[in-house]
Amino acid sequence: MKKLFTLLALSLVMMACNKEEENEQLIGWDKITAEVGKTSKSVMEVLQNVSEDEVWFSHNLWYYIKEESGEIKESKAIENGVVKYVGDGAHYEYRMADNNTIIHYFSSWGTMAGMLNYYRPYDVEEVDGNFRVKYFFNDELQYTLLWEIIAYDDNQILIKSTDEYRVPVYDSHGNLYKSNTEDLYTLIHLVRRVPKDDGWKEAITEQEYCELVKQSY
């Protein structure tokens, strides 16, 4: 019996070591997913559970597109908190305003006033533990996204964001714009944190921002 218990203990140790080795071998998104803990809260409860100084910040943000050749291309806008390129939307910060609205904060250098923070309110509808996100500008629907919740705990949320609809874009001749690439989805890794500055608290509306952009040209 003692020998049996010894063999069982050794087997458990080997299983734990193998599991640890597997996690060490994982890279990229698979490693991020494997490191997510557990929580008894719903996704909505987790999203709302931030202090007045905290936001949900994109610690990782990866885009996936299909080239005309059929090749799938990965583009990392943010990796492990490091922004790979600077531009509108590169800093993805979110806060829930209420159960039906999430606020998306942007940073931009698009005006003569220098760097400004502005925000977009998204209409949010919970669908079987996932979210349908709608963006309106001047009361007109611009796009709809499906946010599939891959995994989450109290401090991080992993989202696969897929376009469901985008308003058609036309060129100066009235022809429908067609891209040589196909947007597949975006992987968003949100972490709860206090931003380095309070600029997001003074963010203006996107309409106000657009007016400042027009005045800059």
Side-chain angles (χ1 to χ4, degrees), residues 43-77:
V43 183
M44 184 63 78
E45 288 173 329
V46 170
L47 278 168
Q48 293 175 331
N49 188 29
V50 293
S51 73
E52 62 180 14
D53 294 321
E54 292 178 321
V55 299
W56 287 101
F57 178 80
S58 289
H59 191 65
N60 288 282
L61 182 65
W62 300 349
Y63 298 104
Y64 292 84
I65 63 172
K66 181 186 287 187
E67 300 280 5
E68 196 171 12
S69 62
E71 179 184 359
I72 306 299
K73 186 176 180 180
E74 176 187 80
S75 177
K76 298 178 181 179

Side-chain angles (χ1 to χ4, degrees), residues 65-195:
I65 63 172
K66 181 186 287 187
E67 300 280 5
E68 196 171 12
S69 62
E71 179 184 359
I72 306 299
K73 186 176 180 180
E74 176 187 80
S75 177
K76 298 178 181 179
I78 304 173
E79 186 173 20
N80 296 325
V82 178
V83 178
K84 298 296 185 177
Y85 64 82
V86 178
D88 287 8
H91 296 275
Y92 273 43
E93 296 174 349
Y94 300 91
R95 278 181 65 93
M96 292 297 300
D98 52 53
N99 285 345
N100 302 311
T101 310
I102 188 169
I103 305 299
H104 181 180
Y105 295 93
F106 293 83
S107 298
S108 175
W109 291 90
T111 75
M112 294 180 67
M115 198 279 287
L116 292 174
N117 295 285
Y118 67 95
Y119 65 88
R120 288 179 180 176
Y122 294 148
D123 289 357
V124 178
E125 176 189 1
E126 192 167 359
V127 183
D128 297 328
N130 299 311
F131 295 95
R132 179 164 287 110
V133 178
K134 295 182 179 181
Y135 167 57
F136 292 85
F137 187 81
N138 292 335
D139 297 326
E140 293 185 6
L141 179 63
Q142 301 299 311
Y143 57 78
T144 303
L145 307 173
L146 178 63
W147 280 7
E148 178 185 350
I149 308 302
I150 298 174
Y152 71 97
D153 57 31
D154 288 326
N155 297 301
Q156 58 187 326
I157 304 172
L158 309 185
I159 300 169
K160 179 180 178 181
S161 178
T162 307
D163 280 5
E164 286 193 329
Y165 167 79
R166 282 191 181 269
V167 65
V169 178
Y170 296 89
D171 62 23
S172 58
H173 301 288
N175 299 316
L176 182 65
Y177 173 77
K178 294 182 179 180
S179 174
N180 292 327
T181 62
E182 177 187 355
D183 293 329
L184 297 178
Y185 56 87
T186 303
L187 295 179
I188 308 171
H189 177 205
L190 297 179
V191 297
R192 184 166 53 154
R193 80 173 203 185
V194 177

